[in-house]
Amino acid sequence: MLKNVVFECGQKYIVCLERKICNCGRFQIDEIPCAHAFAIFKKKNIIDIHLYCSKYYKPVALANTYDVSIVLMSDKEDWSTPEFVLKEIVLSPGYKRLAG
């Protein structure tokens, strides 16, 4: 496991491309390379960064999002609302929001 070091504004960041982690935390949280990883890509002349991105950011994932059929709701007049819901009274909050 090869760890790469990047210095930025006097801070030291350790990036492991194999495990897709950086001690800044963004690489793990966003599941896409952080700025420190990009510095390593540039240093090592890595052009294809797709290997380091989550599958959720790829076009196939977006297409799969719309793959499932959406069932339309009927007209509002056809809805059957339970009686206990109709009897429910919803009040506004008991406080006023301050300006600003």
Side-chain angles (χ1 to χ4, degrees):
M1 181 169 35
L2 182 63
K3 294 181 181 180
N4 303 284
V5 179
V6 176
F7 290 95
E8 178 185 38
C9 298
Q11 285 206 299
K12 178 179 172 181
Y13 294 95
I14 301 171
V15 179
C16 179
L17 295 178
E18 295 165 351
R19 294 180 56 203
K20 302 177 189 174
I21 60 171
C22 176
N23 66 337
C24 76
R26 297 220 39 201
F27 204 167
Q28 302 89 286
I29 292 171
D30 296 338
E31 295 188 42
I32 55 175
C34 62
H36 312 111
F38 275 102
I40 302 299
F41 295 153
K42 185 175 180 181
K43 182 179 176 183
K44 294 187 172 210
N45 294 323
I46 297 174
I47 297 170
D48 186 16
I49 64 162
H50 293 96
L51 301 171
Y52 302 97
C53 296
S54 171
K55 64 180 180 179
Y56 298 113
Y57 294 106
K58 297 184 180 172
V60 172
L62 180 64
N64 288 340
T65 301
Y66 299 100
D67 195 32
V68 180
S69 299
I70 298 173
V71 179
L72 299 176
M73 293 183 68
S74 59
D75 290 333
K76 192 172 183 178
E77 293 82 32
D78 298 335
W79 294 0
S80 60
T81 308
E83 191 65 33
F84 74 93
V85 173
L86 293 173
K87 290 180 181 179
E88 189 75 31
I89 297 173
V90 179
L91 301 174
S92 60
Y95 60 89
K96 290 195 177 215
R97 192 170 131 195
L98 299 174

